[in-house]
Amino acid sequence: IVIGSSPEIMKQVASLPSSIMSSEKAIADIGFEYLLGKTNVFQGTAWHKRILKDEIFDSSKFKPSFLPSLRAELAKAMENEIKNLATPAKSSTLIPDLFGFVRRVVLRTMLNKLIGLYLNDDDETALLDDIMSFQDIVEDATATAAVMAGFVARPFVLRPVERRRKSIEKIIAGHIEKVWSNNPLKGQWGPWLRIFYESRTSSEEAATLVVGLMFAAHKNPAIGATQSFCYLLSEGSRSDIDQARNEAKHLMRSTSFSTSDIVEAHTLRQYVLETVRMTSHSIGALRKACKDVVLVDSSLREYTIRQGETVAISHITMHRNNSIWKDGEKFDAHREEWASVADTDDISVPIDNYKMTAFSHGTNKCPGERLAIALMEIVLALLLDKDVQINGGVPPISFERATLAQRTRKISAVLTINVSSS
């Protein structure tokens, strides 16, 4: 059952406790108890919410030391990826797949900043390849299993991916044990690794939670940042692009980098928010009814969700509904909804969660919303500050993958060497 564009119905579904409408059971039912493991499905969100609250945020803002170090890690990760692509004696670097390039930058940053593995080059490259490949396989398996009977999907689709996950977890657990055995370096551990250690979590369980965190924290923000860059260059006015470049320059050089810098980069933020609106998943926010539920819309019509049925929300239907958004199908970074970004110190989406549903709502609202927005804005600023140029035009968006919308073909880009090393 898919909810198209009824905020009233959405609020009722989102406000119900998990004993009545369970997101965990819904996610497990579509195969994630095999693809990401039961620990991630039933415990992962609580773990990550706790660590974000205690280690990353101070009320609605980031802790003072977090954003400067995040920016530094992202810049370092991008330099590493540029170095890996650079050709000796060439004055420019070709980026053959801009989306893949940004994914590697963000994933490398998450492994180092949030976890604190800091692997050698060979081990890190191998792990990046393994995790990115695994995430793509999970998306394919989810789509394939959805149209199969369970007794067919489990042995032929879900179990093989589960075995692949466990092999990656074994590698990550080995890296975690090496880090934990070197206690003098505890100050370099990321918050997740430190909390796992202090709570006596086994390296095996920690590795499972790391896989889940990388799945949640890396791919969609990376895609969102790259899409924001594409929309800015393809849809933005000359004045918007110039203003965004000026904001990017300030963002990357601010000596007292804080939440205020993110919020006050109005053009960057408006393009990020409008991009998320335009590219959100076709279907998300799954809930499974644990008992019969009656929902009532604004016209007082009743809808009965039977026990065992699954409800999903169509983000894109809501976000492109012309009765909710003016010219909903049109990309417009200067919407009145985004005008309020100048009037708040909170980095999160500045409008009703039942109008902008990308980060979900109610009891299962995404705990990493502010981190995702900060990541997208900083990466967008990095791409602009590096003066990355897209080769050819920007192809249409595509909702083929179970992520934020991507593009119908790979996008290549060029970066000049003297800019990347400045």
Side-chain angles (χ1 to χ4, degrees):
I1 300 171
V2 178
I3 301 173
S5 54
S6 172
E8 296 81 8
I9 295 290
M10 287 185 187
K11 288 177 182 178
Q12 292 168 60
V13 171
S15 64
L16 291 169
S18 59
S19 59
I20 299 176
M21 279 286 186
S22 173
S23 63
E24 294 86 357
K25 290 181 179 179
I27 293 169
D29 278 0
I30 64 171
F32 273 70
E33 66 176 314
Y34 299 100
L35 301 176
L36 291 182
K38 289 183 178 180
T39 297
N40 278 313
V41 170
F42 293 101
Q43 302 173 35
T45 299
W47 264 105
H48 305 320
K49 185 182 293 186
R50 168 196 164 192
I51 297 173
L52 283 164
K53 180 178 180 293
D54 293 345
E55 302 290 327
I56 308 299
F57 296 116
D58 183 4
S59 186
S60 65
K61 296 184 178 182
F62 289 92
K63 290 184 181 293
S65 63
F66 181 79
L67 281 179
S69 59
L70 176 66
R71 180 183 63 178
E73 285 292 348
L74 284 165
K76 179 182 176 183
M78 186 169 287
E79 287 294 346
N80 284 337
E81 291 303 323
I82 292 169
K83 182 177 67 175
N84 291 339
L85 293 171
T87 303
K90 290 284 187 178
S91 61
S92 62
T93 297
L94 175 66
I95 302 172
D97 176 9
L98 185 59
F99 279 82
F101 171 82
V102 174
R103 279 185 63 191
R104 291 183 71 86
V105 168
V106 174
L107 181 56
R108 186 190 293 266
T109 300
M110 295 296 95
L111 284 171
N112 290 334
K113 175 60 185 169
L114 300 188
I115 310 304
L117 291 183
Y118 292 101
L119 306 176
N120 64 50
D121 288 345
D122 289 342
D123 286 345
E124 187 170 62
T125 296
L127 187 57
L128 290 176
D129 290 341
D130 283 343
I131 293 176
M132 287 178 62
S133 174
F134 170 72
Q135 290 179 333
D136 293 339
I137 291 170
V138 167
E139 291 172 16
D140 292 337
T142 303
T144 302
V147 296
M148 286 183 170
F151 70 89
V152 176
R154 280 188 289 274
F156 294 106
V157 178
L158 301 177
R159 291 291 190 186
V161 179
E162 179 184 45
R163 289 192 289 272
R164 176 74 178 273
R165 169 177 60 80
K166 289 182 176 180
S167 70
I168 294 173
E169 289 173 356
K170 186 175 180 179
I171 294 170
I172 294 174
H175 291 313
I176 289 174
E177 288 171 2
K178 288 179 183 178
V179 174
W180 278 349
S181 67
N182 196 347
N183 281 319
L185 294 179
K186 189 173 180 180
Q188 298 179 17
W189 298 358
W192 268 259
L193 207 59
R194 188 174 66 255
I195 296 300
F196 291 152
Y197 181 83
E198 292 173 353
S199 61
R200 299 184 180 275
T201 305
S202 69
S203 60
E204 292 79 11
E205 184 177 4
T208 298
L209 290 164
V210 167
V211 169
L213 177 65
M214 293 302 101
F215 191 83
H218 132 256
K219 190 168 187 179
N220 280 324
I223 293 170
T226 313
Q227 286 285 31
S228 299
F229 181 70
C230 291
Y231 271 119
L232 175 64
L233 297 191
S234 62
E235 304 286 341
S237 65
R238 185 70 258 169
S239 61
D240 275 2
I241 294 172
D242 289 344
Q243 179 61 26
R245 290 191 186 282
N246 288 334
E247 292 175 359
K249 184 176 181 179
H250 171 77
L251 211 65
M252 297 313 300
R253 290 162 179 76
S254 173
T255 56
S256 56
F257 189 45
S258 67
T259 304
S260 296
D261 292 297
I262 297 283
V263 170
E264 291 169 7
H266 300 152
T267 304
L268 297 178
R269 192 156 184 240
Q270 286 170 328
Y271 271 85
V272 164
L273 291 172
E274 179 68 355
T275 294
V276 172
R277 183 188 75 84
M278 288 291 289
T279 61
S280 293
H281 302 62
S282 300
I283 292 179
L286 298 174
R287 305 284 191 276
K288 182 175 181 178
C290 300
K291 58 180 68 176
D292 290 357
V293 178
V294 177
L295 307 174
V296 183
D297 68 13
S298 57
S299 301
L300 301 182
R301 286 177 295 187
E302 295 186 350
Y303 302 87
T304 300
I305 310 298
R306 301 295 181 189
Q307 181 178 354
E309 291 181 332
T310 298
V311 176
I313 290 172
S314 175
H315 299 301
I316 203 64
T317 302
M318 171 67 76
H319 291 174
R320 298 193 178 203
N321 188 318
N322 289 330
S323 67
I324 297 172
W325 296 86
K326 183 179 179 181
D327 297 324
E329 293 282 345
K330 177 184 176 183
F331 183 95
D332 181 5
H334 298 283
R335 292 183 176 279
E336 62 180 15
E337 288 85 358
W338 309 142
S340 63
V341 298
D343 305 320
T344 178
D345 288 330
D346 189 349
I347 197 174
S348 57
V349 175
I351 59 172
D352 191 321
N353 292 325
Y354 296 94
K355 180 173 182 176
M356 176 75 158
T357 65
F359 293 99
S360 199
H361 26 52
T363 57
N364 288 280
K365 182 173 172 58
C366 175
E369 174 185 352
R370 285 170 288 172
L371 177 56
I373 292 173
L375 266 171
M376 288 186 280
E377 199 168 316
I378 296 171
V379 172
L380 173 57
L382 264 170
L383 293 170
L384 291 168
D385 195 51
K386 295 291 185 185
D387 198 25
V388 173
Q389 300 291 329
I390 290 175
N391 274 334
V394 176
I397 64 171
S398 168
F399 287 93
E400 187 173 320
R401 307 290 296 184
T403 61
L404 291 187
Q406 299 188 43
R407 297 281 167 169
T408 54
R409 61 173 171 79
K410 288 183 178 180
I411 295 176
S412 66
V414 174
L415 181 146
T416 56
I417 296 298
N418 63 328
V419 174
S420 70
S421 60
S422 63

